[in-house]
mmCIF file of all heavy atoms in Angstrom:
data_model
loop_
_atom_site.group_PDB
_atom_site.id
_atom_site.type_symbol
_atom_site.label_atom_id
_atom_site.label_comp_id
_atom_site.label_asym_id
_atom_site.label_seq_id
_atom_site.Cartn_x
_atom_site.Cartn_y
_atom_site.Cartn_z
ATOM 1 N N VAL A 218 0.819 -1.203 0.000
ATOM 2 C CA VAL A 218 0.000 0.000 0.000
ATOM 3 C C VAL A 218 0.858 1.261 0.000
ATOM 4 O O VAL A 218 2.041 1.232 0.331
ATOM 5 C CB VAL A 218 -0.932 0.044 1.232
ATOM 6 C CG1 VAL A 218 -1.788 -1.214 1.319
ATOM 7 C CG2 VAL A 218 -0.120 0.235 2.526
ATOM 8 N N ILE A 219 0.219 2.354 -0.384
ATOM 9 C CA ILE A 219 0.753 3.681 -0.110
ATOM 10 C C ILE A 219 0.103 4.123 1.188
ATOM 11 O O ILE A 219 -1.115 4.292 1.263
ATOM 12 C CB ILE A 219 0.412 4.675 -1.237
ATOM 13 C CG1 ILE A 219 1.107 4.284 -2.528
ATOM 14 C CG2 ILE A 219 0.824 6.091 -0.824
ATOM 15 C CD1 ILE A 219 2.609 4.399 -2.487
ATOM 16 N N ALA A 220 0.906 4.258 2.237
ATOM 17 C CA ALA A 220 0.393 4.631 3.552
ATOM 18 C C ALA A 220 0.859 6.036 3.888
ATOM 19 O O ALA A 220 2.051 6.353 3.775
ATOM 20 C CB ALA A 220 0.888 3.647 4.608
ATOM 21 N N LEU A 221 -0.074 6.882 4.287
ATOM 22 C CA LEU A 221 0.225 8.258 4.653
ATOM 23 C C LEU A 221 0.157 8.396 6.171
ATOM 24 O O LEU A 221 -0.818 7.997 6.803
ATOM 25 C CB LEU A 221 -0.770 9.208 3.993
ATOM 26 C CG LEU A 221 -0.574 10.707 4.234
ATOM 27 C CD1 LEU A 221 0.734 11.173 3.591
ATOM 28 C CD2 LEU A 221 -1.756 11.492 3.682
ATOM 29 N N MET A 222 1.212 8.963 6.752
ATOM 30 C CA MET A 222 1.259 9.167 8.199
ATOM 31 C C MET A 222 2.003 10.453 8.490
ATOM 32 O O MET A 222 3.158 10.618 8.086
ATOM 33 C CB MET A 222 1.946 7.977 8.876
ATOM 34 C CG MET A 222 3.210 7.544 8.191
ATOM 35 S SD MET A 222 3.810 5.958 8.751
ATOM 36 C CE MET A 222 5.271 5.822 7.702
ATOM 37 N N ASP A 223 1.333 11.379 9.161
ATOM 38 C CA ASP A 223 1.937 12.673 9.495
ATOM 39 C C ASP A 223 2.544 13.347 8.263
ATOM 40 O O ASP A 223 3.685 13.830 8.274
ATOM 41 C CB ASP A 223 3.012 12.501 10.574
ATOM 42 C CG ASP A 223 2.437 11.963 11.877
ATOM 43 O OD1 ASP A 223 1.278 12.304 12.187
ATOM 44 O OD2 ASP A 223 3.132 11.205 12.560
ATOM 45 N N ASP A 224 1.796 13.374 7.182
ATOM 46 C CA ASP A 224 2.226 14.007 5.930
ATOM 47 C C ASP A 224 3.437 13.334 5.298
ATOM 48 O O ASP A 224 4.130 13.929 4.471
ATOM 49 C CB ASP A 224 2.503 15.503 6.132
ATOM 50 C CG ASP A 224 1.217 16.295 6.306
ATOM 51 O OD1 ASP A 224 0.159 15.818 5.850
ATOM 52 O OD2 ASP A 224 1.270 17.381 6.905
ATOM 53 N N GLU A 225 3.708 12.112 5.678
ATOM 54 C CA GLU A 225 4.772 11.339 5.049
ATOM 55 C C GLU A 225 4.142 10.089 4.440
ATOM 56 O O GLU A 225 3.293 9.449 5.049
ATOM 57 C CB GLU A 225 5.842 10.941 6.063
ATOM 58 C CG GLU A 225 6.607 12.116 6.650
ATOM 59 C CD GLU A 225 7.678 11.663 7.622
ATOM 60 O OE1 GLU A 225 7.524 10.558 8.187
ATOM 61 O OE2 GLU A 225 8.652 12.392 7.805
ATOM 62 N N ALA A 226 4.549 9.757 3.239
ATOM 63 C CA ALA A 226 3.974 8.601 2.563
ATOM 64 C C ALA A 226 5.061 7.574 2.282
ATOM 65 O O ALA A 226 6.212 7.924 2.012
ATOM 66 C CB ALA A 226 3.300 9.017 1.256
ATOM 67 N N THR A 227 4.689 6.320 2.360
ATOM 68 C CA THR A 227 5.653 5.259 2.095
ATOM 69 C C THR A 227 4.961 4.071 1.456
ATOM 70 O O THR A 227 3.754 3.866 1.628
ATOM 71 C CB THR A 227 6.366 4.832 3.402
ATOM 72 O OG1 THR A 227 7.431 3.935 3.094
ATOM 73 C CG2 THR A 227 5.403 4.166 4.377
ATOM 74 N N LEU A 228 5.729 3.300 0.726
ATOM 75 C CA LEU A 228 5.229 2.106 0.048
ATOM 76 C C LEU A 228 5.690 0.888 0.839
ATOM 77 O O LEU A 228 6.885 0.607 0.912
ATOM 78 C CB LEU A 228 5.789 2.065 -1.377
ATOM 79 C CG LEU A 228 5.337 0.939 -2.300
ATOM 80 C CD1 LEU A 228 3.863 1.107 -2.652
ATOM 81 C CD2 LEU A 228 6.182 0.919 -3.567
ATOM 82 N N LYS A 229 4.751 0.166 1.445
ATOM 83 C CA LYS A 229 5.096 -0.969 2.310
ATOM 84 C C LYS A 229 3.967 -2.005 2.290
ATOM 85 O O LYS A 229 2.842 -1.726 1.875
ATOM 86 C CB LYS A 229 5.296 -0.513 3.761
ATOM 87 C CG LYS A 229 6.455 0.443 3.986
ATOM 88 C CD LYS A 229 7.791 -0.220 3.839
ATOM 89 C CE LYS A 229 8.935 0.748 4.133
ATOM 90 N NZ LYS A 229 9.058 1.820 3.151
ATOM 91 N N ARG A 230 4.270 -3.187 2.806
ATOM 92 C CA ARG A 230 3.209 -4.170 3.045
ATOM 93 C C ARG A 230 2.462 -3.771 4.313
ATOM 94 O O ARG A 230 3.054 -3.339 5.295
ATOM 95 C CB ARG A 230 3.788 -5.573 3.209
ATOM 96 C CG ARG A 230 4.162 -6.211 1.892
ATOM 97 C CD ARG A 230 4.179 -7.718 1.978
ATOM 98 N NE ARG A 230 4.683 -8.307 0.763
ATOM 99 C CZ ARG A 230 3.955 -8.540 -0.323
ATOM 100 N NH1 ARG A 230 2.670 -8.229 -0.330
ATOM 101 N NH2 ARG A 230 4.505 -9.087 -1.387
ATOM 102 N N TYR A 231 1.160 -3.979 4.271
ATOM 103 C CA TYR A 231 0.257 -3.492 5.312
ATOM 104 C C TYR A 231 -0.207 -4.638 6.203
ATOM 105 O O TYR A 231 -0.772 -5.617 5.725
ATOM 106 C CB TYR A 231 -0.939 -2.822 4.634
ATOM 107 C CG TYR A 231 -2.076 -2.424 5.527
ATOM 108 C CD1 TYR A 231 -1.969 -1.327 6.375
ATOM 109 C CD2 TYR A 231 -3.280 -3.124 5.489
ATOM 110 C CE1 TYR A 231 -3.031 -0.941 7.175
ATOM 111 C CE2 TYR A 231 -4.351 -2.742 6.278
ATOM 112 C CZ TYR A 231 -4.223 -1.651 7.134
ATOM 113 O OH TYR A 231 -5.271 -1.278 7.910
ATOM 114 N N TYR A 232 0.087 -4.502 7.500
ATOM 115 C CA TYR A 232 -0.342 -5.503 8.478
ATOM 116 C C TYR A 232 -0.978 -4.810 9.677
ATOM 117 O O TYR A 232 -0.270 -4.326 10.564
ATOM 118 C CB TYR A 232 0.836 -6.356 8.949
ATOM 119 C CG TYR A 232 1.414 -7.254 7.885
ATOM 120 C CD1 TYR A 232 2.580 -6.891 7.209
ATOM 121 C CD2 TYR A 232 0.796 -8.455 7.545
ATOM 122 C CE1 TYR A 232 3.111 -7.707 6.218
ATOM 123 C CE2 TYR A 232 1.319 -9.277 6.560
ATOM 124 C CZ TYR A 232 2.475 -8.891 5.903
ATOM 125 O OH TYR A 232 2.997 -9.698 4.918
ATOM 126 N N PRO A 233 -2.305 -4.733 9.714
ATOM 127 C CA PRO A 233 -2.947 -4.142 10.893
ATOM 128 C C PRO A 233 -2.793 -5.072 12.098
ATOM 129 O O PRO A 233 -2.879 -6.294 11.971
ATOM 130 C CB PRO A 233 -4.412 -4.022 10.463
ATOM 131 C CG PRO A 233 -4.586 -5.048 9.389
ATOM 132 C CD PRO A 233 -3.266 -5.168 8.691
ATOM 133 N N GLU A 234 -2.535 -4.496 13.276
ATOM 134 C CA GLU A 234 -2.400 -5.259 14.510
ATOM 135 C C GLU A 234 -3.325 -4.647 15.557
ATOM 136 O O GLU A 234 -2.889 -3.955 16.484
ATOM 137 C CB GLU A 234 -0.946 -5.269 14.977
ATOM 138 C CG GLU A 234 0.001 -5.941 13.991
ATOM 139 C CD GLU A 234 1.448 -5.988 14.477
ATOM 140 O OE1 GLU A 234 1.782 -5.287 15.459
ATOM 141 O OE2 GLU A 234 2.244 -6.734 13.881
ATOM 142 N N PRO A 235 -4.634 -4.865 15.399
ATOM 143 C CA PRO A 235 -5.605 -4.217 16.302
ATOM 144 C C PRO A 235 -5.428 -4.608 17.764
ATOM 145 O O PRO A 235 -5.735 -3.820 18.660
ATOM 146 C CB PRO A 235 -6.955 -4.695 15.748
ATOM 147 C CG PRO A 235 -6.648 -5.928 14.958
ATOM 148 C CD PRO A 235 -5.282 -5.716 14.397
ATOM 149 N N GLU A 236 -4.931 -5.824 18.009
ATOM 150 C CA GLU A 236 -4.749 -6.244 19.395
ATOM 151 C C GLU A 236 -3.670 -5.413 20.098
ATOM 152 O O GLU A 236 -3.645 -5.323 21.332
ATOM 153 C CB GLU A 236 -4.388 -7.740 19.456
ATOM 154 C CG GLU A 236 -2.997 -8.105 18.940
ATOM 155 C CD GLU A 236 -2.873 -8.129 17.433
ATOM 156 O OE1 GLU A 236 -3.904 -7.901 16.761
ATOM 157 O OE2 GLU A 236 -1.765 -8.395 16.928
ATOM 158 N N LYS A 237 -2.782 -4.801 19.300
ATOM 159 C CA LYS A 237 -1.731 -3.941 19.861
ATOM 160 C C LYS A 237 -2.005 -2.464 19.559
ATOM 161 O O LYS A 237 -1.168 -1.608 19.840
ATOM 162 C CB LYS A 237 -0.371 -4.339 19.299
ATOM 163 C CG LYS A 237 0.054 -5.757 19.679
ATOM 164 C CD LYS A 237 1.434 -6.093 19.116
ATOM 165 C CE LYS A 237 1.847 -7.510 19.512
ATOM 166 N NZ LYS A 237 3.180 -7.866 18.963
ATOM 167 N N ASP A 238 -3.180 -2.210 18.990
ATOM 168 C CA ASP A 238 -3.589 -0.854 18.657
ATOM 169 C C ASP A 238 -2.549 -0.153 17.788
ATOM 170 O O ASP A 238 -2.143 0.980 18.072
ATOM 171 C CB ASP A 238 -3.850 -0.047 19.942
ATOM 172 C CG ASP A 238 -4.590 1.263 19.652
ATOM 173 O OD1 ASP A 238 -5.343 1.295 18.663
ATOM 174 O OD2 ASP A 238 -4.382 2.232 20.390
ATOM 175 N N ARG A 239 -2.126 -0.838 16.715
ATOM 176 C CA ARG A 239 -1.125 -0.260 15.836
ATOM 177 C C ARG A 239 -1.191 -0.915 14.462
ATOM 178 O O ARG A 239 -1.888 -1.906 14.256
ATOM 179 C CB ARG A 239 0.275 -0.419 16.422
ATOM 180 C CG ARG A 239 0.767 -1.861 16.438
ATOM 181 C CD ARG A 239 2.114 -1.992 17.129
ATOM 182 N NE ARG A 239 2.648 -3.353 17.001
ATOM 183 C CZ ARG A 239 3.769 -3.769 17.591
ATOM 184 N NH1 ARG A 239 4.462 -2.934 18.353
ATOM 185 N NH2 ARG A 239 4.191 -5.017 17.413
ATOM 186 N N VAL A 240 -0.422 -0.355 13.538
ATOM 187 C CA VAL A 240 -0.283 -0.909 12.193
ATOM 188 C C VAL A 240 1.201 -1.171 11.957
ATOM 189 O O VAL A 240 2.048 -0.348 12.288
ATOM 190 C CB VAL A 240 -0.814 0.076 11.123
ATOM 191 C CG1 VAL A 240 -0.487 -0.422 9.714
ATOM 192 C CG2 VAL A 240 -2.319 0.266 11.278
ATOM 193 N N ARG A 241 1.492 -2.339 11.391
ATOM 194 C CA ARG A 241 2.874 -2.665 11.049
ATOM 195 C C ARG A 241 3.056 -2.511 9.545
ATOM 196 O O ARG A 241 2.336 -3.121 8.757
ATOM 197 C CB ARG A 241 3.201 -4.101 11.475
ATOM 198 C CG ARG A 241 4.612 -4.552 11.086
ATOM 199 C CD ARG A 241 4.999 -5.843 11.819
ATOM 200 N NE ARG A 241 4.132 -6.950 11.461
ATOM 201 C CZ ARG A 241 4.413 -7.841 10.519
ATOM 202 N NH1 ARG A 241 5.527 -7.748 9.805
ATOM 203 N NH2 ARG A 241 3.575 -8.840 10.272
ATOM 204 N N LEU A 242 4.013 -1.697 9.146
ATOM 205 C CA LEU A 242 4.347 -1.488 7.744
ATOM 206 C C LEU A 242 5.668 -2.192 7.481
ATOM 207 O O LEU A 242 6.704 -1.830 8.040
ATOM 208 C CB LEU A 242 4.445 0.004 7.440
ATOM 209 C CG LEU A 242 3.148 0.794 7.674
ATOM 210 C CD1 LEU A 242 3.383 2.286 7.491
ATOM 211 C CD2 LEU A 242 2.026 0.315 6.766
ATOM 212 N N HIS A 243 5.594 -3.211 6.630
ATOM 213 C CA HIS A 243 6.724 -4.130 6.465
ATOM 214 C C HIS A 243 7.478 -3.870 5.160
ATOM 215 O O HIS A 243 6.904 -3.940 4.067
ATOM 216 C CB HIS A 243 6.207 -5.567 6.477
ATOM 217 C CG HIS A 243 7.269 -6.586 6.209
ATOM 218 N ND1 HIS A 243 8.284 -6.853 7.086
ATOM 219 C CD2 HIS A 243 7.460 -7.409 5.137
ATOM 220 C CE1 HIS A 243 9.070 -7.796 6.582
ATOM 221 N NE2 HIS A 243 8.593 -8.147 5.395
ATOM 222 N N PRO A 244 8.787 -3.590 5.230
ATOM 223 C CA PRO A 244 9.597 -3.445 4.021
ATOM 224 C C PRO A 244 10.022 -4.812 3.499
ATOM 225 O O PRO A 244 10.234 -5.737 4.271
ATOM 226 C CB PRO A 244 10.812 -2.649 4.507
ATOM 227 C CG PRO A 244 10.962 -3.063 5.934
ATOM 228 C CD PRO A 244 9.563 -3.303 6.450
ATOM 229 N N GLU A 245 10.135 -4.935 2.181
ATOM 230 C CA GLU A 245 10.613 -6.180 1.578
ATOM 231 C C GLU A 245 12.112 -6.073 1.331
ATOM 232 O O GLU A 245 12.595 -6.111 0.209
ATOM 233 C CB GLU A 245 9.847 -6.468 0.288
ATOM 234 C CG GLU A 245 8.409 -6.877 0.488
ATOM 235 C CD GLU A 245 8.252 -8.258 1.103
ATOM 236 O OE1 GLU A 245 9.248 -9.012 1.128
ATOM 237 O OE2 GLU A 245 7.145 -8.582 1.554
ATOM 238 N N ASN A 246 12.843 -5.887 2.433
ATOM 239 C CA ASN A 246 14.304 -5.809 2.407
ATOM 240 C C ASN A 246 14.774 -6.257 3.785
ATOM 241 O O ASN A 246 14.489 -5.598 4.785
ATOM 242 C CB ASN A 246 14.769 -4.386 2.094
ATOM 243 C CG ASN A 246 16.278 -4.266 1.975
ATOM 244 O OD1 ASN A 246 17.018 -5.022 2.588
ATOM 245 N ND2 ASN A 246 16.733 -3.306 1.190
ATOM 246 N N GLU A 247 15.481 -7.375 3.830
ATOM 247 C CA GLU A 247 15.863 -7.965 5.109
ATOM 248 C C GLU A 247 16.793 -7.072 5.923
ATOM 249 O O GLU A 247 16.969 -7.290 7.127
ATOM 250 C CB GLU A 247 16.525 -9.328 4.891
ATOM 251 C CG GLU A 247 17.781 -9.287 4.045
ATOM 252 C CD GLU A 247 18.352 -10.658 3.761
ATOM 253 O OE1 GLU A 247 17.644 -11.655 4.003
ATOM 254 O OE2 GLU A 247 19.503 -10.728 3.303
ATOM 255 N N LYS A 248 17.358 -6.065 5.311
ATOM 256 C CA LYS A 248 18.250 -5.166 6.037
ATOM 257 C C LYS A 248 17.494 -4.082 6.799
ATOM 258 O O LYS A 248 18.088 -3.366 7.605
ATOM 259 C CB LYS A 248 19.232 -4.507 5.058
ATOM 260 C CG LYS A 248 20.173 -5.475 4.373
ATOM 261 C CD LYS A 248 21.101 -4.741 3.418
ATOM 262 C CE LYS A 248 22.048 -5.708 2.720
ATOM 263 N NZ LYS A 248 22.954 -4.988 1.767
ATOM 264 N N LEU A 249 16.208 -3.948 6.513
ATOM 265 C CA LEU A 249 15.409 -2.888 7.119
ATOM 266 C C LEU A 249 14.391 -3.451 8.093
ATOM 267 O O LEU A 249 13.941 -4.588 7.953
ATOM 268 C CB LEU A 249 14.698 -2.071 6.034
ATOM 269 C CG LEU A 249 15.617 -1.391 5.011
ATOM 270 C CD1 LEU A 249 14.784 -0.697 3.944
ATOM 271 C CD2 LEU A 249 16.547 -0.400 5.686
ATOM 272 N N GLU A 250 14.016 -2.660 9.072
ATOM 273 C CA GLU A 250 13.079 -3.081 10.106
ATOM 274 C C GLU A 250 11.678 -2.581 9.798
ATOM 275 O O GLU A 250 11.488 -1.615 9.047
ATOM 276 C CB GLU A 250 13.538 -2.554 11.467
ATOM 277 C CG GLU A 250 14.873 -3.111 11.928
ATOM 278 C CD GLU A 250 15.261 -2.606 13.301
ATOM 279 O OE1 GLU A 250 14.550 -1.716 13.831
ATOM 280 O OE2 GLU A 250 16.259 -3.098 13.850
ATOM 281 N N ASP A 251 10.708 -3.248 10.401
ATOM 282 C CA ASP A 251 9.326 -2.834 10.256
ATOM 283 C C ASP A 251 9.117 -1.449 10.858
ATOM 284 O O ASP A 251 9.837 -1.031 11.787
ATOM 285 C CB ASP A 251 8.394 -3.822 10.963
ATOM 286 C CG ASP A 251 8.318 -5.154 10.245
ATOM 287 O OD1 ASP A 251 8.737 -5.228 9.081
ATOM 288 O OD2 ASP A 251 7.840 -6.132 10.862
ATOM 289 N N ILE A 252 8.118 -0.753 10.329
ATOM 290 C CA ILE A 252 7.697 0.533 10.869
ATOM 291 C C ILE A 252 6.375 0.324 11.589
ATOM 292 O O ILE A 252 5.458 -0.294 11.042
ATOM 293 C CB ILE A 252 7.527 1.576 9.742
ATOM 294 C CG1 ILE A 252 8.857 1.805 9.024
ATOM 295 C CG2 ILE A 252 6.983 2.888 10.292
ATOM 296 C CD1 ILE A 252 8.723 2.649 7.776
ATOM 297 N N PHE A 253 6.278 0.815 12.813
ATOM 298 C CA PHE A 253 5.054 0.683 13.592
ATOM 299 C C PHE A 253 4.436 2.062 13.795
ATOM 300 O O PHE A 253 5.116 2.998 14.217
ATOM 301 C CB PHE A 253 5.334 0.034 14.942
ATOM 302 C CG PHE A 253 5.860 -1.375 14.828
ATOM 303 C CD1 PHE A 253 7.218 -1.626 14.882
ATOM 304 C CD2 PHE A 253 4.993 -2.446 14.662
ATOM 305 C CE1 PHE A 253 7.714 -2.920 14.770
ATOM 306 C CE2 PHE A 253 5.469 -3.737 14.546
ATOM 307 C CZ PHE A 253 6.833 -3.975 14.606
ATOM 308 N N VAL A 254 3.168 2.175 13.457
ATOM 309 C CA VAL A 254 2.450 3.438 13.650
ATOM 310 C C VAL A 254 1.118 3.150 14.316
ATOM 311 O O VAL A 254 0.563 2.057 14.187
ATOM 312 C CB VAL A 254 2.225 4.170 12.315
ATOM 313 C CG1 VAL A 254 3.537 4.598 11.703
ATOM 314 C CG2 VAL A 254 1.451 3.294 11.331
ATOM 315 N N LYS A 255 0.630 4.137 15.052
ATOM 316 C CA LYS A 255 -0.662 3.954 15.707
ATOM 317 C C LYS A 255 -1.789 3.910 14.691
ATOM 318 O O LYS A 255 -2.736 3.163 14.822
ATOM 319 C CB LYS A 255 -0.892 5.088 16.711
ATOM 320 C CG LYS A 255 -2.177 4.926 17.528
ATOM 321 C CD LYS A 255 -2.263 5.968 18.601
ATOM 322 C CE LYS A 255 -3.567 5.828 19.383
ATOM 323 N NZ LYS A 255 -3.660 4.528 20.065
ATOM 324 N N ASP A 256 -1.606 4.705 13.652
ATOM 325 C CA ASP A 256 -2.629 4.739 12.606
ATOM 326 C C ASP A 256 -2.004 5.302 11.339
ATOM 327 O O ASP A 256 -0.973 5.977 11.384
ATOM 328 C CB ASP A 256 -3.815 5.604 13.027
ATOM 329 C CG ASP A 256 -5.043 5.360 12.170
ATOM 330 O OD1 ASP A 256 -5.053 4.354 11.417
ATOM 331 O OD2 ASP A 256 -5.987 6.171 12.230
ATOM 332 N N CYS A 257 -2.612 5.017 10.222
ATOM 333 C CA CYS A 257 -2.157 5.578 8.952
ATOM 334 C C CYS A 257 -3.342 5.625 7.998
ATOM 335 O O CYS A 257 -4.350 4.952 8.201
ATOM 336 C CB CYS A 257 -1.010 4.760 8.361
ATOM 337 S SG CYS A 257 -1.440 3.064 7.924
ATOM 338 N N ILE A 258 -3.210 6.423 6.980
ATOM 339 C CA ILE A 258 -4.255 6.564 5.969
ATOM 340 C C ILE A 258 -3.818 5.813 4.712
ATOM 341 O O ILE A 258 -2.739 6.074 4.171
ATOM 342 C CB ILE A 258 -4.501 8.046 5.630
ATOM 343 C CG1 ILE A 258 -4.973 8.798 6.885
ATOM 344 C CG2 ILE A 258 -5.522 8.180 4.509
ATOM 345 C CD1 ILE A 258 -5.060 10.295 6.692
ATOM 346 N N ILE A 259 -4.633 4.877 4.282
ATOM 347 C CA ILE A 259 -4.356 4.144 3.053
ATOM 348 C C ILE A 259 -4.786 4.996 1.868
ATOM 349 O O ILE A 259 -5.931 5.426 1.784
ATOM 350 C CB ILE A 259 -5.092 2.790 3.022
ATOM 351 C CG1 ILE A 259 -4.737 1.947 4.245
ATOM 352 C CG2 ILE A 259 -4.780 2.041 1.732
ATOM 353 C CD1 ILE A 259 -3.266 1.614 4.339
ATOM 354 N N GLN A 260 -3.857 5.253 0.964
ATOM 355 C CA GLN A 260 -4.174 6.051 -0.220
ATOM 356 C C GLN A 260 -4.378 5.194 -1.459
ATOM 357 O O GLN A 260 -4.946 5.643 -2.441
ATOM 358 C CB GLN A 260 -3.054 7.056 -0.476
ATOM 359 C CG GLN A 260 -2.916 8.101 0.619
ATOM 360 C CD GLN A 260 -1.907 9.163 0.257
ATOM 361 O OE1 GLN A 260 -0.787 8.848 -0.128
ATOM 362 N NE2 GLN A 260 -2.284 10.417 0.383
#
């Protein structure tokens, strides 16, 4: 997805984690770590 958060947009795999009240944005590069946000807007 294209996810918008705080006026910043990124292209990542989208994994909602409602039990943790957050969204995990996963990069497809083993050298990089997941991004965790409380919420984001799917564009």
Side-chain angles (χ1 to χ4, degrees):
V218 305
I219 294 293
L221 182 66
M222 46 193 179
D223 298 327
D224 287 337
E225 295 181 335
T227 188
L228 183 68
K229 296 289 183 293
R230 282 204 187 276
Y231 172 74
Y232 292 100
E234 298 182 347
E236 70 283 358
K237 297 181 180 179
D238 193 29
R239 69 185 187 185
V240 172
R241 177 166 63 95
L242 299 174
H243 176 69
E245 289 290 346
N246 183 332
E247 60 184 13
K248 296 180 180 179
L249 301 176
E250 296 182 353
D251 289 345
I252 298 171
F253 297 97
V254 295
K255 184 173 178 62
D256 196 13
C257 64
I258 299 172
I259 304 299
Q260 295 186 309

